[in-house]
Amino acid sequence: MFSPQFGDFNGDGRLDLLSGSNCCDAGRVFVFLRNPNGTFADRHELRLKISKPDLFRTCRTPHLVDWDRDGHIDLVLGQRLAYGTWLLDIALGPLAGKTEVEVKQFQLPAIPDARVPHFGFADWDGDGSFDLLAAVQRKEQEAIYWFRNTAIKGEPKFAAASPLLTVPAPWRLGAFSIVDWDQDGRLDLVVNMTKKRPGEILPAESQLWLYRRKA
């Protein structure tokens, strides 16, 4: 299971589970629907009908959000083509009962010489529109950036990236959660940090760091 996310996929009021895929199972998305008793049904694959396939599509990170703000939950999938090029794949809802969805691409503001291992949606500035937050890895610096949604309705329009926080070396950014940790009405960030020892391939240490939002 890669980059699992909870959301009401079929609109029945219960939180379902979505799973993306890594390079070992490239380009696939799986759905686990929630049963009335709280358990999950067996997974089914949500097939993606892509008009412009590419050879570089690898890891999938799924999110459920009302992308075009029409009252239906949509599926948003992250994909990374190359350093500095970052696209989202969008499948518009309603999604209930579907085993295949048509996907369109959405170009995000360029991030030169960077890769994006994780992203999430939240109304960061409290203006009523969802924004995009992304973990950005560069050789010289790693940071979480905020892409403000400047559109009032319909599909989002994201402004250029603004840094929210930077990570001190030798720590590296992983996944993060956007949550009001201390229930003060402001969104905070809980970030997974990893660190390698010299010569090692996999991280030797992992920590969760809490970044509280300033007043």
Side-chain angles (χ1 to χ4, degrees):
M1 186 174 291
F2 183 80
S3 189
Q5 303 287 336
F6 288 99
D8 187 0
F9 179 83
N10 56 0
D12 63 358
R14 296 188 292 268
L15 286 179
D16 308 305
L17 178 62
L18 276 74
S19 173
S21 53
N22 59 15
C23 57
C24 299
D25 203 11
R28 303 176 75 185
V29 176
F30 302 97
V31 180
F32 301 77
L33 295 177
R34 192 75 169 267
N35 296 318
N37 65 357
T39 62
F40 289 97
D42 292 339
R43 77 174 192 180
H44 72 265
E45 182 176 359
L46 185 66
R47 294 187 297 274
L48 307 177
K49 187 178 180 181
I50 302 171
S51 59
K52 187 180 179 182
D54 62 77
L55 299 178
F56 297 97
R57 182 180 279 105
T58 54
C59 300
R60 286 290 188 185
T61 51
H63 293 266
L64 292 175
V65 63
D66 187 359
W67 180 259
D68 53 1
R69 290 179 274 190
D70 65 350
H72 298 295
I73 289 295
D74 309 307
L75 176 65
V76 180
L77 299 165
Q79 60 153 301
R80 187 175 63 253
L81 300 181
Y83 277 79
T85 302
W86 187 30
L87 299 175
L88 295 179
D89 285 334
I90 314 296
L92 297 178
L95 302 171
K98 291 187 177 179
T99 57
E100 182 179 74
V101 291
E102 188 168 351
V103 168
K104 65 176 183 177
Q105 291 183 343
F106 183 88
Q107 177 71 58
L108 289 158
I111 311 175
D113 302 319
R115 61 185 295 268
V116 180
H118 188 76
F119 67 96
F121 297 101
D123 184 4
W124 189 253
D125 56 356
D127 66 353
S129 296
F130 65 85
D131 305 308
L132 175 65
L133 275 67
V136 175
Q137 295 179 342
R138 288 192 175 102
K139 290 183 178 180
E140 69 277 7
Q141 185 185 71
E142 301 200 2
I144 292 181
Y145 284 83
W146 168 40
F147 297 81
R148 182 173 179 266
N149 181 5
T150 60
I152 299 174
K153 58 182 179 180
E155 287 198 350
K157 182 178 181 181
F158 295 113
S162 299
L164 293 178
L165 61 90
T166 56
V167 178
W171 292 95
R172 303 205 68 187
L173 274 169
F176 62 87
S177 294
I178 309 166
V179 61
D180 184 358
W181 180 267
D182 45 12
Q183 298 183 358
D184 64 352
R186 294 187 293 270
L187 292 175
D188 310 302
L189 294 173
V190 180
V191 185
N192 178 35
M193 299 289 196
T194 60
K195 183 168 61 174
K196 296 180 181 179
R197 295 191 183 100
E200 292 186 341
I201 298 176
L202 297 176
E205 187 175 352
S206 178
Q207 297 181 4
L208 288 179
W209 291 14
L210 170 63
Y211 289 88
R212 285 192 173 94
R213 188 80 170 271
K214 294 181 179 178

